[in-house]
Amino acid sequence: MISGRLRKTTYQVDLGALRHNIQAQRAVLPAGSRIFAVVKANAYGHGLVPVAQAALAAGATGTCVAILDEALELRDNGIDALSLVLGITAVEYANVAAMAGVSLTVGSLDWLQEYHRLAQVNHWPKPLKVHLGIDTGMGRIGFTDIDQFKQAVELLKSPEFEFEGMFTHFATADSTDQTYFDKQVTRWQQFVDSLDELPPYVHMANSATGMWHRELITANTVRMGISMYGHNLSGCDIKETLGLQPVGTFKTAISFVKKLKAGESVSYGATYTAKEDEWLATLPVGYADGYPRSLTGFKVMVDGMDQMMVRLPKYYPVDTPVVLMGKSGQLELTPTDLAKQVGTINYEILTGINNRVHRVYKN
Ligand SMILES: *Cc1c(COP(=O)(O)O)cnc(C)c1O
């Protein structure tokens, strides 16, 4: 089937850059460290299945997703590596995870007890793989109390479960002020020290921690998200430290060119009026693709030159390639550049590019 490919608006995904980024992180971690590739939200817009396959081939030990459906999509596509659902899954769906060998995050004793009861009543045959989430200050999900945590670990010894991992998540790992981060590390260490025996996967680091706080990682696995896609943290002015390469390029091509005479107006609401004769190009891309309408007046890259959207400094023929986001010659527009213009974060720009835009994989 060729539907979805009959247009020149595409999102190119450089899997070679993805491999480079994973290896760059791996190279600065202690020997024996592992990497989980965070592929939630359609792999931050880069395509769940191809990115997961490439990341695992590049040495990632497992994947992290946000919801059970994403993990099942990986299984449906023959990807059997460890896959951890980072969000809380409703207990009534948890047996689906157990049957598919998908690992779930559990953040409370209640949840475990309820699952335990259901598993016994229904004679669910396969143990559920569990990572205990620990809330050391993110304020989102997970255990906050060490006693409850230890009771959970006891319950995980029953045959309905497999205690596979424990983890926490940082709220301020990309901040220059390290006070809150240090508090979270201290709290995390108390949970780690409360156990005589640790589960196989102990993880605390997201991209920011893997970049800037490597020396403080007391865990054996890093969860790589935004850095795997080659980007610095959103709204973060500290330089990234890994030599990352951007993985995605959002591209289109001019579909129509005309000469606009001085005084003539364009587009809905006639929002723009030419002050002098100028060349105008139409680009076949817009908010229905996930390119925000609020980027009106922003720039794109044509022929490696920086220019205002649709107003051209000279004539270019139809089909001239245009880069909306990514690299073009020596120029680059990062997801952060777009995000700043719109008033959001780069994660939202990346995950917003929707399925109408065909993903093209190279390398
Ligand atoms: C999304 C997420 C990550 C990845 O975050 P990045 O900042 O993209 O590295 C890691 N851990 C958890 C729990 C997450 O939800």
Side-chain angles (χ1 to χ4, degrees):
M1 216 173 53
I2 55 172
S3 78
R5 286 150 212 242
L6 302 181
R7 69 188 296 224
K8 290 173 182 172
T9 301
T10 59
Y11 192 71
Q12 291 202 351
V13 180
D14 182 349
L15 296 173
L18 186 95
R19 280 196 297 278
H20 166 88
N21 297 337
I22 291 173
Q23 280 150 13
Q25 175 71 81
R26 175 183 291 283
V28 296
L29 293 173
S33 300
R34 290 172 289 199
I35 288 176
F36 284 163
V38 181
V39 295
K40 63 191 180 189
N42 195 30
Y44 292 41
H46 297 73
L48 175 68
V49 170
V51 166
Q53 280 165 337
L56 292 165
T61 305
T63 61
C64 295
V65 294
I67 58 175
L68 178 55
D69 281 329
E70 293 171 329
L72 296 176
E73 192 175 333
L74 293 174
R75 292 289 184 261
D76 287 346
N77 283 277
I79 301 173
D80 294 328
L82 182 154
S83 188
L84 169 64
V85 179
L86 294 168
I88 300 295
T89 305
V91 72
E92 63 262 39
Y93 307 135
N95 185 43
V96 179
M99 293 308 289
V102 167
S103 313
L104 294 187
T105 293
V106 173
S108 70
L109 193 54
D110 293 350
W111 193 103
L112 273 189
Q113 287 164 340
E114 179 61 6
Y115 179 88
H116 190 238
R117 191 185 66 78
L118 289 172
Q120 289 195 326
V121 171
N122 296 301
H123 306 287
W124 286 340
K126 280 187 114 185
L128 176 69
K129 295 177 184 174
V130 170
H131 290 229
L132 293 178
I134 297 163
D135 182 3
T136 56
M138 185 72 180
R140 218 152 65 174
I141 54 174
F143 289 85
T144 51
D145 181 88
I146 291 185
D147 273 347
Q148 294 247 323
F149 170 71
K150 292 187 75 169
Q151 285 179 55
V153 171
E154 277 308 305
L155 186 50
L156 288 180
K157 290 178 180 158
S158 54
E160 288 78 13
F161 297 111
E162 179 183 331
F163 184 23
E164 189 178 58
M166 63 186 278
F167 73 100
T168 194
H169 195 32
F170 291 104
T172 62
D174 59 343
S175 167
T176 44
D177 179 354
Q178 211 173 308
T179 324
Y180 197 81
F181 182 87
D182 287 343
K183 259 195 202 160
Q184 283 197 258
V185 171
T186 305
R187 187 68 183 141
W188 162 253
Q189 204 54 47
Q190 290 166 352
F191 278 85
V192 171
D193 293 342
S194 77
L195 298 187
D196 298 327
E197 200 186 336
L198 294 173
Y201 295 92
V202 179
H203 43 117
M204 64 176 332
N206 54 359
S207 296
T209 308
M211 240 182 240
W212 294 305
H213 305 287
R214 291 195 284 275
E215 70 293 348
L216 294 176
I217 298 178
T218 51
N220 59 26
T221 306
V222 171
R223 300 186 302 272
M224 264 187 106
I226 194 84
S227 61
M228 187 173 75
Y229 304 98
H231 302 297
N232 201 346
L233 277 294
S234 193
C236 183
D237 296 322
I238 323 174
K239 267 186 100 60
E240 63 95 355
T241 60
L242 296 173
L244 299 173
Q245 294 174 2
V247 171
T249 308
F250 195 5
K251 280 186 149 180
T252 188
I254 294 173
S255 65
F256 195 83
V257 187
K258 67 181 272 183
K259 187 106 182 230
L260 199 64
K261 296 221 172 62
E264 289 181 341
S265 296
V266 291
S267 200
Y268 293 115
T271 43
Y272 177 77
T273 302
K275 293 191 185 67
E276 54 193 356
D277 289 7
E278 59 196 33
W279 288 104
L280 182 85
T282 299
L283 306 179
V285 59
Y287 57 82
D289 298 299
Y291 189 81
R293 183 168 179 270
S294 46
L295 282 173
T296 301
F298 195 55
K299 53 197 173 182
V300 298
M301 295 177 291
V302 186
D303 197 18
M305 282 172 43
D306 198 12
Q307 50 207 296
M308 296 304 291
M309 193 172 176
V310 302
R311 187 178 70 198
L312 301 173
K314 63 174 179 121
Y315 170 79
Y316 283 96
V318 162
D319 276 353
T320 302
V322 174
V323 177
L324 302 159
M325 183 177 82
K327 278 192 169 169
S328 174
Q330 294 302 305
L331 294 177
E332 184 173 10
L333 279 176
T334 66
T336 308
D337 294 330
L338 273 66
K340 282 191 173 148
Q341 180 75 12
V342 179
T344 183
I345 57 172
N346 54 7
Y347 297 70
E348 186 170 344
I349 297 290
L350 289 170
T351 56
I353 301 166
N354 62 34
N355 282 339
R356 203 172 78 159
V357 180
H358 181 57
R359 267 63 171 179
V360 180
Y361 296 92
K362 58 174 194 172
N363 298 322

